[in-house]
Amino acid sequence: MTPRSYLLTLVLLAAVSMQAGDYSKYYQNLPTPVKAVEEVVIPKNEVTLTDFSAVGDGIWVCTEAFKKGISQLTKQGGGRLNVPEGVWLTGPIQLKDNIEIHLDKNAIIYFSPDKRLYLKEDDKAPEKAYPCIRASKAKNIAITGEGIIDGGGQRWRPVKRSKMSDTEWDRYTDMGGMVTEKGDLWYPWQMKNGLPDIADTPQKQEAMRNDLLRFEQCENILLEGVTFQNSPRFHVHPCYSKNIIIDGITVRCPWNAQNGDGIDLSDCHQALIVNATVDVGDDGLCMKSGSQKKGWDIWGCQDVLIQDNTVYHAHGGFVLGSETIGGVRDMVVRHNRFVGTDVGLRFKSGLGRGGKTERMYISDIMMADIAGEAIIFQCDYVNRAAGDDGKEPIITEEMKKRAPDFQDIHISRVVCWGCETGIKASGIPGMNCVHDIDISDCSITHIKAAEDIDGETAKLTRIRVTRSKVRDFKYLQVK
């Protein structure tokens, strides 16, 4: 190799390295300061799953192989566990510090339908099963590659008859299960596969459904390139964690999957979500904040940038709530596209679940074929499980202390072709729940109404609204 070609090689390698770990380009020209993510560094040690007697034939259960591979890397200070081509049947996987799981393009990690594998080994929260992939108080963890991670969720989730065609309904009942007396709901209970149930009623077992990926109190997380699909519950769910990079992943499940959220950040700081594709049964890109955990450092959602993502079916393209108790602040959502979602921008909360929003900027959102509202603010949301009796909750004084406070939200340059209602907003009588929100420079074609705003409980600022007919649609323009 000549000196010149050697130098060129070094320059190219440096460029590739910089491109792989440099996310600074996303933080240019922000409308409000957002703390940038930092690169996640994994040690260079590598092992392969087959080094630990794993067989990718879809029959051999590889739980111990994953455990041994991660354990060996941990003893070396961390590194990459390679998952080669194959179908790797497994029980739950736990990540440790400095561990990366890397999937080849034709690698499928498929989580076993044997629910006993997910039972917790201690008495902490026995009402919940282990997530398929979990980590707790871990630093520098990553899942990368081009493969697929499948949660086998159809053997966990209840399904509603009203959301099923006859053919789909027959596929579920052919697996066994239990249909309610009304015939409106199917539970994966006493299945024909012969595997035992792990609770004494279908309702209790339904409540044990796990997330596909759940990281708690972790720092420095990278999820890149992989497809996460068919979760029993939420798909990608970091909680109370910091410095999170989600880049180029795909999240998908049936459109009618119960609680099939795509990407949820619950009480997370310093996060970047870019280049993701989401097509799910519930909320698409969702920010949540629950109750403060004693002794846990992170609370609320803060310093989050969401850019260049695509959401197809979801209850909402970008969603805030329903829990916002710890507050949501310093967030930028821009240059995303939503096609075929139920709602475009969805802000939902209720008494007992509400908190304050601050410095939230949403812009350059392109939407088409939205079933409901392009933009909605809802303050009477009630979280209901499958089979819920539908009764209104009893409101206590303590719940009133946690009322929604949607404010300091700035929405601009939204283009939506086709929705039922352009902008809908309502708060709670006697409370200042929706206020100081400005919407500008938007174009929305709608079928039913340009806006449905309760002026007594929701205060939105808009500059000059004009309307004109566009074929079968009407046109709302906000400048």
Side-chain angles (χ1 to χ4, degrees), residues 126-128 187 189 198-209:
E127 73 281 0
K128 293 290 184 182
Y187 286 101
W189 176 257
I198 56 174
D200 56 11
T201 69
Q203 292 80 9
K204 288 181 181 179
Q205 182 167 275
E206 187 273 333
M208 296 177 71
R209 280 187 295 142

Side-chain angles (χ1 to χ4, degrees), residues 139-154:
K139 292 185 177 182
N140 305 316
I141 53 177
I143 300 177
T144 64
E146 299 179 78
I148 295 173
I149 299 175
D150 193 305
Q154 70 273 19

Side-chain angles (χ1 to χ4, degrees), residues 18-172:
M18 183 177 295
Q19 185 179 10
D22 181 13
Y23 288 93
S24 62
K25 64 181 181 180
Y26 294 105
Y27 291 87
Q28 306 300 314
N29 304 314
L30 293 176
T32 189
V34 175
K35 189 174 182 180
V37 293
E38 300 169 13
E39 184 181 0
V40 178
V41 179
I42 304 293
K44 295 186 181 298
N45 305 310
E46 292 191 30
V47 297
T48 299
L49 193 62
T50 51
D51 296 340
F52 306 94
S53 303
V55 180
D57 60 0
I59 300 172
W60 187 274
V61 180
C62 304
T63 312
E64 282 301 308
F66 277 103
K67 187 174 181 180
K68 289 176 180 178
I70 291 169
S71 178
Q72 179 168 311
L73 287 169
T74 298
K75 292 175 183 176
Q76 298 173 13
R80 170 186 281 190
L81 174 58
N82 288 306
V83 182
E85 180 178 81
V87 178
W88 309 94
L89 188 67
T90 182
I93 298 169
Q94 183 175 14
L95 268 63
K96 303 289 188 179
D97 288 353
N98 305 309
I99 295 296
E100 173 187 359
I101 293 179
H102 182 82
L103 287 79
D104 284 356
K105 184 173 184 178
N106 290 329
I108 300 174
I109 296 176
Y110 197 99
F111 284 92
S112 170
D114 189 346
K115 298 181 179 69
R116 293 171 297 181
L117 299 176
Y118 306 89
L119 287 172
K120 295 192 173 180
E121 298 162 357
D122 52 40
D123 59 356
K124 293 180 181 178
E127 73 281 0
K128 293 290 184 182
Y130 277 134
C132 296
I133 303 175
R134 72 185 190 276
S136 178
K137 299 181 181 179
K139 292 185 177 182
N140 305 316
I141 53 177
I143 300 177
T144 64
E146 299 179 78
I148 295 173
I149 299 175
D150 193 305
Q154 70 273 19
R155 296 175 183 87
W156 285 87
R157 298 185 302 259
V159 295
K160 296 177 180 177
R161 181 65 181 91
S162 60
K163 291 186 174 183
M164 293 277 148
S165 67
D166 290 345
T167 300
E168 289 175 302
W169 184 253
D170 289 344
R171 285 175 184 166
Y172 277 94

Side-chain angles (χ1 to χ4, degrees), residues 376-451:
I376 186 171
F377 292 87
Q378 177 188 4
C379 296
D380 60 353
Y381 182 84
V382 177
N383 188 38
R384 299 188 185 279
D388 185 271
D389 59 15
K391 293 181 180 178
E392 292 299 318
I394 298 173
I395 304 301
T396 66
E397 291 302 315
E398 188 63 29
M399 290 170 67
K400 291 180 181 179
K401 294 177 183 178
R402 292 179 171 177
D405 190 4
F406 293 130
Q407 59 99 50
D408 198 4
I409 298 174
H410 312 273
I411 301 172
S412 63
R413 297 186 299 280
V414 172
V415 179
C416 175
W417 196 94
C419 64
E420 185 177 73
T421 301
I423 304 169
K424 185 174 182 178
S426 60
I428 299 173
M431 296 184 177
N432 199 21
C433 293
V434 183
H435 62 100
D436 296 300
I437 295 168
D438 62 80
I439 303 174
S440 63
D441 195 18
C442 300
S443 299
I444 302 171
T445 62
H446 57 89
I447 298 171
K448 183 177 178 182
E451 55 190 56

Side-chain angles (χ1 to χ4, degrees), residues 298-317:
I298 303 294
W299 190 36
C301 281
Q302 181 173 323
D303 292 309
V304 179
L305 175 57
I306 301 173
Q307 182 173 324
D308 298 334
N309 303 288
T310 300
V311 180
Y312 293 107
H313 184 270
H315 286 183

